[in-house]
Amino acid sequence: MLQSPGDPPRHDRAVPPHGAPGTRELRLLPKAHLHLHFTGSMRPGTLLELADKYGVHLPEALSCGEPPRLRATDERGWFRFQRLYDIARSCLREPEDIQRLVFEAAEEDVRDGSQWLEIQVDPTSYAPRLGGLIPAMEIILDAVDRAARDTGLGIRVLVAANRMKHPLDARTLARLAVRYRDRGVVGFGLSNDERRGLARDFDRAFAIAREGGLLAAPHGGELTGPHSVRDCLDDLHAARVGHGVRAAEDPRLLRELAQRGVTCEVCPSSNVALGVYERPGDVPLRTLFEAGVPIALGADDPLLFGSRLAAQYELTRVHHGFTDTELAELARQSIRGSAAPAEVQKQVLAGIDDWLAG
């Protein structure tokens, strides 16, 4: 069986000597979730049911009940990761499938203490089966509205371009994202293999998004070094960076991230699963935190990595020795780095204080 949502990743639980970890229940800690991909948020059981519904043959890596073994630090490994993701996405074919996925993702987040979710999606990937780009966007946003009403979770959408595609496609998506700003789109991202396509090739798309009032949140600093984070800052004027962990290798860059208040959406479980770091304790959470870089812990793709949001906090507690006071600060940084309205941020921050006081 896959791990239950929120269970700590299956790794050695030795604690580094940074102080005694706390004991408060991490699922009760209010927090925001800023790095969750659309198909990757799916429950494994849902994937099995949808594959059976549509007659999709799943490879053993997606059907065996265990998170697949992945190592994406070389192109062959990334291709395998992307292939598994694409197969899972092919099982989302009808509006009701989209509604189910978003509702279940919201349920899982609520269970893990999330009070604000910004889910990331490239609607072009779903458009062929949902009647086109605009119908796909409408279906996704309708599902988000419905899930927010049914679960009480604040949910917004970050539209992400694919850096493997032409920059003109990214401009089209940026205009689409701005068009739906009043329907819940809050940001614009750039995902897929950061070793492909220069950030500056997408500068116009990000300019369109920023001019339209959306925050810029491209991926960088995961599969390549700190220079990719630098490119996100200089070329795309990022307000947040998806991952960003490799910035830890450049002290000057760390200082700039801290001074500019650029939030890094750190996803510890996926960093290890994809081979960016060998062990959970190798993820440079302490380096970023102590440099003053804002951090928003994220689950990335729970379907493929086997753990959800609360598990990232548990990993941080167990493998990096973060105290409850420090974990509460991480939760504060997640909500401050979000696009949540001021009144929502105030409410969540008060809840974090209550958790710590309790």
Side-chain angles (χ1 to χ4, degrees):
M1 295 292 291
L2 282 170
Q3 293 169 268
S4 299
D7 285 351
R10 298 185 186 93
H11 298 294
D12 174 58
R13 295 175 63 86
V15 180
H18 294 297
T23 59
R24 292 172 179 82
E25 172 54 59
L26 291 172
R27 284 183 173 179
L28 299 180
L29 171 61
K31 54 187 78 73
H33 197 179
L34 308 184
H35 197 109
L36 182 68
H37 291 277
F38 201 76
T39 293
S41 72
M42 199 186 318
R43 289 172 177 165
T46 297
L47 175 60
L48 294 176
E49 290 181 19
L50 291 177
D52 182 66
K53 174 182 176 181
Y54 295 118
V56 176
H57 173 71
L58 296 178
E60 185 178 359
L62 289 175
S63 61
C64 68
E66 292 285 341
R69 294 183 178 275
L70 298 166
R71 194 169 189 86
T73 49
D74 58 54
E75 291 199 13
R76 182 179 178 184
W78 181 265
F79 174 80
R80 181 169 182 261
F81 164 75
Q82 193 61 53
R83 176 176 173 271
L84 293 176
Y85 196 96
D86 291 343
I87 292 170
R89 182 164 48 206
S90 74
C91 296
L92 296 165
R93 302 189 178 190
E94 301 291 341
E96 55 264 31
D97 304 333
I98 301 295
Q99 290 171 3
R100 178 179 179 179
L101 179 143
V102 178
F103 175 75
E104 291 178 353
E107 275 195 327
E108 298 289 357
D109 254 38
V110 169
R111 185 180 306 169
D112 275 6
S114 173
Q115 296 191 12
W116 183 265
L117 167 63
E118 294 176 14
I119 194 166
Q120 186 166 160
V121 63
D122 175 0
T124 60
S125 301
Y126 306 88
R129 291 187 174 90
L130 295 176
L133 186 56
I134 290 177
M137 196 74 225
E138 294 274 357
I139 289 167
I140 290 165
L141 293 175
D142 285 346
V144 165
D145 288 343
R146 184 172 179 176
R149 289 195 306 270
D150 291 346
T151 65
L153 177 66
I155 314 175
R156 297 295 185 271
V157 172
L158 192 146
V159 172
N162 185 343
R163 69 191 310 147
M164 305 284 281
K165 296 182 180 179
H166 197 280
L168 288 176
D169 294 334
R171 296 184 196 181
T172 298
L173 271 185
R175 294 186 182 97
L176 182 73
V178 170
R179 172 177 174 176
Y180 284 99
R181 181 185 172 198
D182 293 336
R183 285 281 311 277
V185 176
V186 295
F188 188 70
L190 183 65
S191 60
N192 213 304
D193 189 347
E194 66 196 59
R195 294 165 296 196
R196 300 291 189 92
L198 298 174
R200 65 173 174 266
D201 292 339
F202 299 90
D203 57 354
R204 182 55 193 150
F206 276 81
I208 291 168
R210 291 194 314 275
E211 291 163 6
L214 303 180
L215 65 84
H219 282 53
E222 182 191 24
L223 299 178
T224 57
H227 68 274
S228 65
V229 179
R230 167 64 60 193
D231 291 345
C232 288
L233 297 181
D234 293 348
D235 298 330
L236 306 181
H237 304 282
R240 296 200 316 245
V241 176
H243 300 292
V245 285
R246 302 290 295 279
E249 300 165 21
D250 184 341
R252 181 179 175 184
L253 179 58
L254 283 178
R255 288 193 296 271
E256 184 169 346
L257 289 168
Q259 290 168 0
R260 293 171 60 170
V262 175
T263 299
C264 287
E265 304 161 3
V266 180
C267 306
S269 291
S270 73
N271 287 166
V272 175
L274 292 177
V276 179
Y277 299 103
E278 288 296 323
R279 297 176 299 274
D282 296 337
V283 180
L285 278 163
R286 275 278 166 196
T287 302
L288 294 169
F289 186 75
E290 293 178 359
V293 177
I295 296 170
L297 295 178
D300 206 357
D301 296 291
L303 176 67
L304 296 174
F305 305 134
S307 59
R308 293 188 181 268
L309 182 58
Q312 312 311 310
Y313 282 80
E314 177 68 13
L315 184 153
T316 302
R317 170 188 273 173
V318 170
H319 294 281
H320 298 272
F322 273 56
T323 65
D324 283 356
T325 299
E326 291 172 324
L327 291 167
E329 179 56 27
L330 288 180
R332 292 187 191 99
Q333 291 175 4
S334 73
I335 191 65
R336 289 172 180 149
S338 75
E343 62 271 18
V344 173
Q345 294 201 23
K346 182 179 178 180
Q347 178 182 347
V348 177
L349 291 171
I352 294 169
D353 291 342
D354 290 343
W355 178 85
L356 194 58

